[in-house]
Amino acid sequence: MPILAKTGRKTPQVISLLLLLYALLLTGAVSMIYPFLLMVAGSAKSGVDAQSSEIIPAFLHDDDILFQKYAEGFFNESLQMMQVALQTNTPSFRHLSPPHTPTSAPLLEDWHAFLRSTPLPFYFFQPSFIYTPLSRGTIPHLLRRFKKQLQQQADGTIEQLNRLYQTDFNSWNTLILIPRNYLAKRIQPGEDAFSKALHRFTENLHPSERVPLSLEGYYQWVYLRARYPETDLARYNTLHSIPCASWSDVPLPRTCPPETDSASRRDWLIFVREMINPLWVRATDNALPLYQHFLQAKYENIDALNRLYHTDYPAFADIPLYDPQAQRFGLPLADWNAFLSGWEDPQTQQRHILPDNLIQLDSIEFRYRDYLQHRYPDVAEYNRKTGLHLTDWSQASPPLRAALYTHFLTIRSELKKEFLTRNFLSVAEYILLHGRALINTLIYCLLSILLALIVNPLAAYALSRYRPPTAYATLLFLMLTMSFPPMVTQIPVFLMLREFNLLNTFWALVLPGMANGFSIFLLKGFFDSLPQDLYDSAALDGAGELTIFWQITMSL
């Protein structure tokens, strides 16, 4: 019977009351939906938009924020890598803006042609979208692609992967890659099978999926900024007599600056000999006899060197100049570092060091300038085609920001889809595809429900149907178990399970909660309400005890 009669509902007061009730209910529903929508929108956020509280993520309708998220993922959420590659002092990805002026098409064509035609070693790049140290738990799309390749090679099992690559991953979910910054001196390429697989993966990526490592940017925005901390470049300009408006205006010479420019020469030599990875340092052919003399002074006889180097050189004069691309590890690398930094013979106190004027640098900037010089007869022709105003080839730099933004404009829809779904894909992969979380949950739930439906109803049925003399004492004992919280029984239950050797099994999860005193008490109260005539009629019709229990009692 309704509280309000149909005739009473037509009065203005009741209609107003009903409208108020519906408004309150609607407000309550919205108040529940709004946090849920915020949670869904938060699943698509990263460091760029983590502080926003919008139901609809801003990157879906704001290309500037989408570009910032793209740059954040492209540089693997490393602000320093972005500053070095783009040669900018932007304090965060949230402050990164697209190029204000359009870049000339010939400039980008030259850059793309250079990447297509020039073979570059793997350590010139990092793979993008492979590491998310800030957006923890997120699996970027290139990491998913690399894991998929490994899964195909290992037949989908982590054990086979560990055997193939001599790794020790516990599961596919723990396979995390930290991209290496080969600009720093302490970082060396790994020579194990897994590192080589990552190197091959990096080399086969499309140029738009790789982060170029800028030696010039590292010199400007990491080394010089730490050496001259004044943000206005006042000290640097005073010491070098060079009017630089930004660190990006400071050139990185390929060879050592002349002695007349003592400040730049000192900066350059410290940077080359102490700061950067020897992968980027080359020596002219004139350094070969000095290098051989250094090795002879250190090892004294060629047999000792061959034994340690695992080589078979007939004499020291047959040893070639160190090649950073071929000998990236071990004792040869250590000797090259010693020759580059300076080594003093303990017997003669003679210092062996690579002379300043024989050092050359190798980087993507220098190779790009070599490509431009080979392609254009002079700088004037290059300026005419690109619209730039360079006075020297040393001012030509790779248009990384323009290339990044141009590629971004072509993949905006794919980026939106990626940012919206990647966290859900990560959860699905973690739960469904790789691991036993879903299977373990299903087994646990099925066993718990099955045992609870067997033990508790049977115990309650026996107490209600046969009424033993100890029924109330038993029921009181079962009720007393409800007085103790589960935390009190954890230690006794653990000791009991250990005695039965049931630890680390599903039975350890389901057996302690199999019998529940409250469930038995509740079921017994219901079974007691059933009339005895019902059981007598079933017995007269020939029903057995299990039939009475399952088809009559449990059905009711």
Side-chain angles (χ1 to χ4, degrees):
M1 179 178 178
I3 297 176
L4 298 175
K6 292 183 179 181
T7 55
R9 293 189 182 191
K10 297 180 181 181
T11 62
Q13 295 84 355
V14 175
I15 293 176
S16 301
L17 178 62
L18 290 176
L19 291 176
L20 178 62
L21 291 175
Y22 284 126
L24 291 175
L25 291 174
L26 183 61
T27 303
V30 172
S31 66
M32 296 293 291
I33 294 174
Y34 182 73
F36 174 75
L37 295 178
L38 283 179
M39 180 186 67
V40 174
S43 67
K45 293 180 181 179
S46 60
V48 167
D49 51 356
Q51 305 301 324
S52 64
S53 57
E54 300 176 351
I55 294 178
I56 300 177
F59 68 85
L60 292 177
H61 54 81
D62 191 332
D63 281 352
D64 287 350
I65 297 179
L66 182 62
F67 176 68
Q68 293 166 1
K69 288 176 69 69
Y70 169 63
E72 181 187 41
F74 183 82
F75 292 105
N76 296 304
E77 299 188 351
S78 171
L79 181 62
Q80 185 186 82
M81 286 305 304
M82 185 267 288
Q83 293 174 336
V84 168
L86 302 186
Q87 299 181 11
T88 176
N89 61 346
T90 303
S92 69
F93 288 104
R94 289 194 297 270
H95 294 85
L96 182 65
S97 58
H100 297 293
T101 57
T103 304
S104 64
L107 188 63
L108 292 176
E109 290 174 2
D110 288 339
W111 171 245
H112 294 149
F114 162 73
L115 293 176
R116 288 193 304 268
S117 61
T118 307
L120 299 172
F122 72 89
Y123 56 83
F124 272 37
F125 303 94
Q126 278 185 356
S128 64
F129 288 98
I130 205 167
Y131 184 50
T132 54
L134 302 179
S135 307
R136 293 180 298 177
T138 298
I139 304 179
H141 68 278
L142 286 186
L143 178 57
R144 297 200 302 268
R145 187 193 303 177
F146 181 62
K147 290 172 68 173
K148 186 176 181 180
Q149 291 184 6
L150 296 178
Q151 290 159 12
Q152 292 174 351
Q153 297 173 11
D155 297 328
T157 62
I158 196 67
E159 294 78 13
Q160 179 68 9
L161 178 73
N162 290 332
R163 285 192 293 269
L164 288 175
Y165 291 102
Q166 301 300 312
T167 53
D168 54 355
F169 296 112
N170 295 326
S171 67
W172 290 107
N173 301 316
T174 61
L175 200 159
I176 300 175
L177 301 178
I178 302 177
R180 297 187 177 185
N181 180 9
Y182 295 120
L183 294 168
K185 189 170 187 175
R186 66 184 182 275
I187 305 298
Q188 297 299 331
E191 293 298 323
D192 56 285
F194 188 78
S195 296
K196 291 181 178 179
L198 180 59
H199 298 162
R200 291 191 298 270
F201 176 76
T202 304
E203 289 178 329
N204 294 329
L205 288 175
H206 190 270
S208 62
E209 298 175 326
R210 299 183 297 185
V211 181
L213 298 182
S214 172
L215 187 66
E216 191 170 56
Y218 192 68
Y219 176 71
Q220 297 165 341
W221 295 97
V222 176
Y223 170 66
L224 290 181
R225 287 179 69 187
R227 188 170 175 82
Y228 303 95
E230 286 82 356
T231 56
D232 58 355
L233 300 180
R235 184 182 176 189
Y236 181 87
N237 291 337
T238 301
L239 294 176
H240 297 75
S241 301
I242 301 175
C244 296
S246 171
W247 290 116
S248 299
D249 299 331
V250 180
L252 173 64
R254 175 176 288 187
T255 58
C256 185
E259 295 182 357
T260 55
D261 189 359
S262 59
S264 298
R265 183 183 181 90
R266 182 175 61 253
D267 291 342
W268 192 89
L269 288 174
I270 294 175
F271 177 71
V272 171
R273 294 190 186 276
E274 301 179 12
M275 291 292 298
I276 63 172
N277 199 303
L279 292 169
W280 311 96
V281 182
R282 303 290 185 270
T284 63
D285 295 338
N286 295 334
L288 178 59
L290 299 175
Y291 179 63
Q292 294 170 344
H293 182 59
F294 155 71
L295 293 177
Q296 186 172 6
K298 183 175 182 180
Y299 294 99
E300 296 183 353
N301 64 78
I302 194 64
D303 292 334
L305 182 140
N306 285 330
R307 184 173 62 256
L308 295 173
Y309 273 39
H310 304 287
T311 55
D312 54 356
Y313 297 122
F316 285 101
D318 298 310
I319 299 177
L321 193 62
Y322 177 80
D323 183 4
Q325 297 192 55
Q327 301 167 299
R328 298 189 297 264
F329 63 99
L331 194 56
L333 174 61
D335 287 341
W336 176 251
N337 273 326
F339 184 55
L340 183 62
S341 302
W343 179 81
E344 186 175 299
D345 191 338
Q347 297 180 358
T348 64
Q349 280 73 49
Q350 180 183 1
R351 185 173 175 81
H352 297 266
I353 190 170
L354 178 62
D356 301 342
N357 61 332
L358 301 183
I359 302 176
Q360 288 185 346
L361 295 180
D362 183 28
S363 71
I364 196 169
E365 293 92 353
F366 296 124
R367 295 200 185 190
Y368 179 60
R369 290 161 190 162
D370 292 341
Y371 171 81
L372 294 178
Q373 292 182 59
H374 179 74
R375 183 167 184 173
Y376 294 96
D378 50 35
V379 178
E381 177 64 20
Y382 177 71
N383 289 336
R384 186 191 63 80
K385 184 177 180 181
T386 60
L388 300 177
H389 303 282
L390 307 182
T391 59
D392 187 79
W393 284 117
S394 62
Q395 298 175 351
S397 298
L400 297 181
R401 179 182 288 207
L404 186 70
Y405 185 67
T406 303
H407 180 67
F408 157 76
L409 293 176
T410 63
I411 60 169
R412 283 176 294 180
S413 58
E414 291 85 350
L415 287 174
K416 293 176 183 179
K417 180 180 178 182
E418 166 67 14
F419 292 140
L420 284 174
T421 60
R422 64 180 183 177
N423 279 329
F424 293 100
L425 293 175
S426 301
V427 172
E429 181 177 359
Y430 189 88
I431 295 178
L432 302 177
L433 301 180
H434 307 296
R436 294 183 53 86
L438 182 63
I439 297 176
N440 290 346
T441 302
L442 289 176
I443 295 176
Y444 169 71
C445 292
L446 290 175
L447 287 177
S448 299
I449 294 173
L450 181 64
L451 292 177
L453 288 178
I454 292 175
V455 175
N456 295 325
L458 281 177
Y461 180 79
L463 293 175
S464 175
R465 180 86 166 86
Y466 297 104
R467 305 182 186 275
T470 59
Y472 289 101
T474 303
L475 197 61
L476 179 62
F477 173 77
L478 294 175
M479 295 295 294
L480 287 175
T481 60
M482 299 168 55
S483 304
F484 302 98
M487 291 72 73
V488 176
T489 61
Q490 280 184 351
I491 294 178
V493 168
F494 172 80
L495 296 176
M496 182 175 62
L497 292 173
R498 188 181 64 179
E499 292 298 322
F500 287 103
N501 295 322
L502 293 177
L503 296 181
N504 298 321
T505 65
F506 283 106
W507 299 113
L509 295 176
V510 298
L511 288 179
M514 179 174 57
N516 185 279
F518 178 73
S519 298
I520 296 174
F521 170 76
L522 192 66
L523 288 170
K524 181 184 180 300
F526 171 74
F527 294 159
D528 287 343
S529 67
L530 298 179
Q532 184 64 30
D533 297 340
L534 183 66
Y535 296 109
D536 295 338
S537 299
L540 289 174
D541 290 337
E545 203 64 49
L546 287 178
T547 303
I548 295 174
F549 167 73
W550 184 252
Q551 294 189 4
I552 298 177
T553 309
M554 287 298 291
S555 297
L556 291 173

